[in-house]
Amino acid sequence: MAKEKPWSGRFTEPTDAAVEAFTASVHFDRRLYVYDIMGSIAHAQMLAKVRVLTKKECDAIVKGLKEIEVEIDAGKFDWSVALEDVHMNIEARLIQRIGETGKKLHTGRSRNDQVATDLRLYLRDGIDVVAHAIGQLQQAILDIAEREAATPAPGFTHLQVAQPITFGHHLLAWFEMLARDTQRLQDCRKRVNIMPLGSAALAGTSFPIDRAYTAKLLGFDAASENSLDAVSDRDFAIEFVAAAALLMTHLSRMSEELVLWSSSQFGFIELSDAYCTGSSIMPQKKNPDVPELVRGKTGRVNGHLVALLTLMKAQPLAYNKDNQEDKEPVFDTFDTVLGSLRVFAGMIPSMKVRRDHLLRAAIMGHATATDLADYLVRQGVAFRDAHEIVGKAVRLAIDTDRDLSQIDLDEYKKFSPAIGKDVYGVLTVEGSLKARDHLGGTAPAQVKAAVKRARKRISRPSK
């Protein structure tokens, strides 16, 4: 394959070997080859439509590009660092295959609008793949939430037992986090799906191109309005990584809970052996490495977001070579997020829920104290007074090492004459859950209803 630079006509010296290696991007941007060929085929077809290319020339270019794609798929393509990037490698191979006609493909475009188009096409598909993976994880979460809809569990604030909930209700909180992540990605996709092709280097082209036709061929919603902005904009990439960073933050929070819950101190769940590892020195150990690693990879994606923001913060219009640094953070973010989602979707269904431990923890810490306060309010006691009364009852329970349900009615009467024997109905975990039997509540029936609604909300892949 020819190694001559596409811009060599203006230069009198060859590129320094170190510079050539330093500036080349083909070792990572070759990942865009499918989208580069897709964009080139559409560009050639548009050029034929406006009669810049003949039909015969267009057919030869399209056939050549499809054959090159087969070559690359089969691992038989000879990538050259001397040709710098994926675009010039494919173009050089096209010229080698079909001759002079291949040199006409680049008419009316620049690598500036070409790479921006490739990256948008890549991210459009990437967003759809990630959204689908989120949906698969959501399905796994909902399956367990439905199964554990009636399983009492402790609800925490400040990692202290607060009120009884059900385990299913807790898992539905995970679902909501992921639902927002999907919404953000879908919203980001709208801004990704704008076509920069036709902006050329920065000022458009004098050829009578039909951008609307090219956009239609490539499935873009519209062509970009401003050529300077189109070739230099990387907002869409930053926005994707920002959405991914939030998604990883949510997975990290879930990971932290899985790590805590699987510890002997909590014992709420047991992760499958297939998703854990052992210790090289301690035979008894079963380490939750998968959630720990996902938790750690969150920092990696956060770092990519900072890198992209820093990359763009001081760039003048239009395109600058700095923008070559946009792809590796985007690619690694996609790989990290997708890998994390897929391993989670496999791990969650294999999780064993230890209901007895959850119930024991839900009873601890006087978790029904708020229900007792609410009971007093229903008896006509002002909430602030009820709060004070229950606080004294909790103090007595702590001092005498009892649960609130174990305090005698006569003792309760000393705190407030409004307390009757029916109070014990709200002091059990079951009574506490039943008291919150309303939309969004934690009662088993409401959790099951919420799961049913949630299944209808899972995003379907974009067409």
Side-chain angles (χ1 to χ4, degrees):
M1 195 185 301
K3 301 295 190 289
E4 189 174 298
K5 310 294 185 188
W7 36 260
S8 60
R10 183 250 184 268
F11 290 79
T12 58
E13 294 181 68
T15 308
D16 182 87
V19 172
E20 193 169 75
F22 182 71
T23 59
S25 59
V26 68
H27 57 286
F28 58 81
D29 69 15
R30 67 175 68 176
R31 183 172 184 152
L32 297 173
Y33 77 90
V34 171
Y35 304 101
D36 196 70
I37 289 171
M38 185 190 305
S40 290
I41 288 174
H43 184 65
Q45 289 171 335
M46 180 276 296
L47 290 177
K49 180 177 182 289
V50 300
R51 301 189 178 182
V52 171
L53 291 177
T54 66
K55 183 179 184 304
K56 183 179 179 181
E57 289 171 333
C58 177
D59 290 345
I61 288 172
V62 170
K63 182 175 182 291
L65 287 170
K66 289 181 177 179
E67 289 171 348
I68 290 169
E69 185 172 0
V70 172
E71 255 183 61
I72 299 173
D73 287 342
K76 297 178 179 179
F77 191 87
D78 180 23
W79 297 100
S80 168
V81 171
L83 288 170
E84 300 180 4
D85 55 35
V86 61
H87 324 294
M88 295 315 306
N89 268 266
I90 290 174
E91 183 177 316
R93 179 61 176 143
L94 179 66
I95 294 168
Q96 187 183 52
R97 289 187 72 97
I98 70 172
E100 291 298 304
T101 300
K103 296 180 179 179
K104 297 184 178 184
L105 172 61
H106 207 56
T107 305
R109 73 175 182 184
S110 162
R111 280 190 294 177
N112 293 357
D113 60 344
Q114 186 178 358
V115 67
T117 301
D118 290 359
L119 191 56
R120 284 176 181 270
L121 289 170
Y122 170 86
L123 270 183
R124 186 177 69 187
D125 278 359
I127 286 171
D128 292 343
V129 170
V130 170
H132 180 65
I134 292 174
Q136 290 180 313
L137 175 55
Q138 286 177 308
Q139 289 282 15
I141 289 170
L142 290 179
D143 289 344
I144 298 184
E146 185 171 41
R147 189 182 74 209
E148 306 297 336
T151 302
F156 295 96
T157 62
H158 307 277
L159 205 57
Q160 307 295 313
V161 175
Q163 290 181 274
I165 59 171
T166 70
F167 194 64
H169 188 68
H170 191 116
L171 293 181
L172 286 175
W174 289 8
F175 176 92
E176 294 299 332
M177 294 180 190
L178 295 170
R180 292 192 298 274
D181 292 320
T182 301
Q183 291 167 1
R184 271 184 286 270
L185 286 167
Q186 289 172 335
D187 195 52
C188 173
R189 192 185 192 280
K190 298 173 187 176
R191 285 174 287 283
V192 168
N193 206 31
I194 302 297
M195 187 189 75
L197 200 59
S199 300
L202 77 160
T205 176
S206 59
F207 290 95
I209 61 173
D210 187 340
R211 299 186 71 208
Y213 179 72
T214 312
K216 183 179 179 180
L217 289 176
L218 292 172
F220 283 109
D221 293 332
S224 57
E225 290 287 341
N226 184 280
S227 59
L228 277 81
D229 177 65
V231 298
S232 61
D233 167 41
R234 292 299 182 269
D235 291 3
F236 65 95
I238 294 172
E239 191 173 352
F240 167 73
V241 177
L246 264 174
L247 169 55
M248 288 301 295
T249 296
H250 291 151
L251 292 180
S252 181
R253 295 183 70 186
M254 297 174 201
S255 294
E256 174 69 8
E257 292 191 323
L258 290 171
V259 170
L260 288 173
W261 292 349
S262 62
S263 69
S264 56
Q265 289 76 12
F266 279 75
F268 293 171
I269 63 164
E270 184 176 352
L271 295 175
S272 166
D273 287 356
Y275 293 90
C276 296
T277 64
S279 165
S280 63
I281 189 173
M282 295 169 284
Q284 84 283 9
K285 293 293 297 297
K286 180 178 177 179
N287 299 324
D289 279 13
V290 168
E292 288 177 351
L293 192 56
V294 169
R295 186 175 61 186
K297 285 180 180 291
T298 302
R300 182 187 189 116
V301 176
N302 289 349
H304 291 325
L305 175 58
V306 173
L308 287 177
L309 288 168
T310 306
L311 174 71
M312 298 304 299
K313 75 174 185 64
Q315 280 198 41
L317 292 172
Y319 182 84
N320 298 278
K321 188 67 170 179
D322 310 44
N323 288 352
Q324 182 172 294
E325 291 294 302
D326 63 353
K327 294 168 201 64
E328 288 178 290
V330 169
F331 295 160
D332 189 67
T333 293
F334 173 77
D335 291 343
T336 301
V337 168
L338 187 59
S340 298
L341 285 169
R342 286 176 172 170
V343 77
F344 248 75
M347 177 177 60
I348 294 301
S350 69
M351 180 175 71
K352 179 182 177 182
V353 178
R354 305 181 70 175
R355 295 172 180 172
D356 55 336
H357 287 217
L358 284 163
L359 177 59
R360 191 180 308 125
I363 295 171
M364 294 171 61
H366 313 294
T368 58
T370 303
D371 298 285
L372 177 55
D374 290 345
Y375 167 87
L376 285 167
V377 170
R378 287 193 292 272
Q379 307 307 311
V381 179
F383 181 78
R384 282 300 164 206
D385 293 333
H387 192 288
E388 178 72 15
I389 292 166
V390 175
K392 292 177 180 178
V394 169
R395 183 71 262 169
L396 173 63
I398 292 171
D399 290 343
T400 57
D401 194 24
R402 287 182 287 175
D403 182 69
L404 288 174
S405 63
Q406 296 173 320
I407 295 176
D408 294 336
L409 182 59
D410 291 341
E411 293 175 291
Y412 270 126
K413 289 285 189 183
K414 293 177 182 178
F415 295 122
S416 172
I419 299 177
K421 63 180 180 179
D422 59 338
V423 71
Y424 294 102
V426 305
L427 294 178
T428 64
V429 169
E430 294 77 9
S432 175
L433 295 175
K434 186 177 180 180
R436 294 190 296 283
D437 189 9
H438 54 77
L439 188 67
T442 62
Q446 289 302 325
V447 173
K448 288 182 179 179
V451 168
K452 188 175 181 179
R453 292 192 300 272
R455 290 195 190 279
K456 297 178 182 179
R457 293 166 51 202
I458 294 177
S459 174
R460 299 291 179 260
S462 299
K463 293 182 180 179

